[in-house]
Amino acid sequence: MHRRGVGAGAIAKRKLAEAKYKERGTVLAEDQLAQMSKQLDMFKTNLEEFASKHKQEIRKNPEFRVQFQDMCATIGVDPLASGKGFWSEMLGVGDFYYELGVQIIEVCLALKHRNGGLITLEELHQQVLKGRGKFAQDVSQDDLLRAIKKLKVLGNGFGIIPVGGTYLIQSVPAELNMDHTVVLQLAEKKGFVTVSEIKSSLKWETERAKQVLEHLLKEGMAWLDEQAPEEPQYWLPALFTELYSQEITPEEAKEAIP
Amino acid sequence: MDRFSWTTGLLELGETLVVQQRGVRLSDGEEKVKFDSGVLLLSTHRLIWRDQKNHECCIAIPLSQIVFIEEQAAGIGKSAKIVVHLHPASSNKEPGPFQSSKYSYIKLSFKEHGQIEFYRRLSEEITQRRWENMPTGQAMQVNKDTQARRIRAVGIVGIERKLEEKRKETDKNISEAFEDLSKLMEKAKEMVELSKSIANKIKEKQGDITEDETIRFKSYLLSMGIANPVTRETYGSGTQYHMQLAKQLAGILQTPLEERGGIMSLTEVYCLVNRARGLELLSPEDLVNACKMLESLKLPIRLRIFDSGVMVIELQSHNEEEMVASALETVSEKGSLTADEFAKLVGMSVLLAKERLLLAEKMGHLCRDDSVEGLRFYPNLFLTQS
């Protein structure tokens, strides 16, 4: 009875087979790499042709950009991953979004003392458009969201919080968990929220509501109005720009915090 | 007299002066008015009267308002006159000295003579109606409205047509663009499939792919923007490109770091570098991937990630732990400080100031007082005053 695969001879044979297999494996990968390299060159040419005809469309047309991004996502491609990518180099998509990223960072930094690092997508949009001037390309809210998603990787705490029908953009590394988020969503309707409202809407205990509100106060994202008629109101400066459009200095902002 | 309008007295384009006469008085029908002594000018389009003493006072009437004219001979103590019968004032007449008048004629008194010549010329102009052939702003009073409206309509239709054509052109461009985009995406999809297949092969033959091939493969993925699932764990997402970038950054950031106390947040770096580049900007991922390679390349700057997740670039020579010692001094001097206050004192960004204070707390040098009034740090007396 032969027992297969045992004994020095069998081991040596197996090693030889493995070595041959290895070789083949390497060759296979090389083949495919060579193939990929060729296809890449062809693709680059196609992209160049596309760019020469439609580069403007990407720059000028926000809807086209959305389509483009969606298509890329569907096939598993991230055109914004690197400035060195073909998409960036040839279509100029990269520069558009990376520059937008810089503008978003600057706006958020400038307004942080007022809103604690929380800002509505609308206000961010307005401020960015203002900064870009009359002759800059049109920028949509979708563009802003995509740029912000890319900024997250810089570790500065960029986050997107859905509230009401829109979004709050967080630009500071403050920890905002589910509790905080849901209170923000509650506050979005009127720009402020009270402990009673939280208790009745969310069915929380007083302590839990207070903890969340105090955290928001500490982070400078909420301001306390103790002179409100029935009970103290916690206002979100991020949400009341329509009511209070004047500039508030850091000193004034500090005074507003108890 | 209510047919007159205030005017500058300047002749319009296409309007020519025919004759003028000094010493003319105007009357509203039979009544005297304050327009006592002036120069009367006849042009191809209008009758203009300017006060001799006050040149600013100037009124005019379009010749088209004139129905007919009569001569009135001079009498004893009375100058010769021309009576001008007028059509009613048009509704869109420019404002003048009189809102209303009970007369439909005016009298021109020629105190210094000249009425014969003037009458002759005025008759001529009224007969020839030269103002109709040479339209100017003033002379088109009666026909102006309808004519202007007609001209405007043609203009707007023309503009609308152009906009419509432009819209059609844009639509055509977009559908063509979408078509081309779809075709392009098909090709891109093929690339993604191929790369997946290669990645799988690599996974199966762990370690059988040479470093050189890995580098090549990663750069292909980078070009296409394809995420790098397999090799990330072993070799990281960095490529040759990122290595070069890391070296560049070390050069670019040296001075800015020194100016900012040896430490900058990654967002600051991102803005600084991209604002300087202007074109061919770095993606946030490019920056992070390059910074991750700083340490292994033994460059004079390094990436540091705080517990909070905040990422910074430091000079190698920068020692955050030493900075903590000086931070402790500062806080002790003031008794206690918040991140805002500390930032202002030292001249740092609030973000980094907070990180330094948190680090000091972590090292046991500071204690926190966490209240609704904010996060305040005190020297850790538990440690020092044992």
Side-chain angles (χ1 to χ4, degrees), chain B residues 6 45 51 132 137 204 207 212 267 285 302 326-327:
Chain B
W6 292 112
H45 293 65
D51 193 314
E132 284 181 353
E204 286 165 19
D212 191 49
T267 13
E285 278 165 63
R302 62 165 173 247
S326 86

Side-chain angles (χ1 to χ4, degrees), chain A:
Chain A
M1 192 169 38
H2 277 281
R3 266 197 286 160
R4 256 187 280 156
V6 192
I11 294 171
K13 222 191 279 181
R14 211 185 306 138
K15 278 215 170 126
L16 190 59
E18 273 176 6
K20 280 215 177 113
Y21 199 45
K22 253 192 202 180
E23 237 176 68
R24 259 199 103 215
T26 322
V27 167
L28 268 176
E30 228 176 74
D31 263 351
Q32 284 202 300
L33 275 181
Q35 185 191 358
M36 185 162 188
S37 173
K38 238 177 32 191
Q39 269 188 258
L40 213 60
D41 281 339
M42 255 171 37
F43 182 77
K44 196 171 169 192
T45 313
N46 287 327
L47 188 53
E48 267 167 357
E49 203 189 312
F50 179 84
S52 68
K53 290 202 310 199
H54 305 297
K55 193 169 177 175
Q56 283 310 313
E57 219 56 62
I58 298 236
R59 271 216 272 269
K60 291 189 310 190
N61 192 335
E63 288 88 48
F64 192 74
R65 278 199 292 278
V66 172
Q67 278 298 324
F68 170 75
Q69 295 273 17
D70 283 347
M71 282 180 164
C72 285
T74 310
I75 63 172
V77 159
D78 181 1
L80 299 181
S82 171
K84 200 76 175 121
F86 285 161
W87 308 98
S88 207
E89 286 188 325
M90 266 166 265
L91 287 181
V93 232
D95 278 6
F96 176 84
Y97 285 97
Y98 307 148
E99 186 180 9
L100 192 53
V102 172
Q103 291 163 345
I104 291 170
I105 292 171
E106 290 176 342
V107 166
C108 288
L109 199 63
L111 297 176
K112 190 169 75 160
H113 66 270
R114 170 158 47 123
N115 56 31
L118 270 188
I119 186 172
T120 57
L121 186 58
E122 278 77 30
E123 192 185 353
L124 181 62
H125 192 199
Q126 261 174 31
Q127 297 283 358
V128 165
L129 286 175
K130 228 178 12 180
R132 284 168 77 90
K134 293 191 290 182
F135 301 105
Q137 304 144 312
D138 192 20
V139 151
S140 69
Q141 289 189 358
D142 182 84
D143 292 329
L144 289 174
L145 288 173
R146 289 184 199 273
I148 291 167
K149 285 191 185 125
K150 284 289 147 194
L151 290 177
K152 281 186 183 199
V153 79
L154 295 175
N156 221 53
F158 267 95
I160 301 175
I161 303 167
V163 293
T166 178
Y167 298 95
L168 277 176
I169 308 300
Q170 179 187 355
S171 61
V172 290
E175 207 226 275
L176 292 182
N177 58 31
M178 292 279 287
D179 275 7
H180 303 122
T181 310
V182 79
V183 166
L184 288 175
Q185 289 165 343
L186 198 58
E188 191 263 345
K189 298 193 198 74
K190 294 186 290 186
F192 71 90
V193 75
T194 60
V195 173
S196 319
E197 272 175 59
I198 295 176
K199 283 172 69 175
S200 66
S201 302
L202 303 174
K203 310 280 184 276
W204 286 2
E205 301 292 321
T206 310
E207 197 47 49
R208 187 176 173 186
K210 278 199 160 160
Q211 259 191 21
V212 167
L213 292 171
E214 280 173 14
H215 181 79
L216 293 175
L217 273 182
K218 252 194 333 205
E219 293 294 341
M221 293 175 179
W223 292 8
L224 179 61
D225 178 9
E226 285 182 317
Q227 295 176 350
E230 281 134 28
E231 62 175 300
Q233 293 172 346
Y234 294 77
W235 286 81
L236 295 187
L239 297 173
F240 61 58
T241 35
E242 301 88 64
L243 304 175
Y244 299 93
S245 53
Q246 42 169 315
E247 269 306 301
I248 301 175
T249 65
E251 286 72 31
E252 288 173 307
K254 220 181 292 176
E255 278 167 44
I257 299 168

Side-chain angles (χ1 to χ4, degrees), chain B residues 10 28-29 31 33 35-36 44 49 53 67 88 104 116-117 124 137 148 150 180 183 214 250 273 336 346 349 358 384:
Chain B
L10 296 169
D28 181 21
E31 286 169 19
V33 289
F35 300 110
D36 197 57
T44 44
W49 186 92
K53 292 194 204 84
V67 182
S104 63
I116 298 172
E117 182 66 21
E124 243 175 356
R150 238 181 286 140
D180 289 348
K183 290 198 200 114
T214 311
V273 170
S336 73
V346 177
S349 72
L358 286 172
T384 54

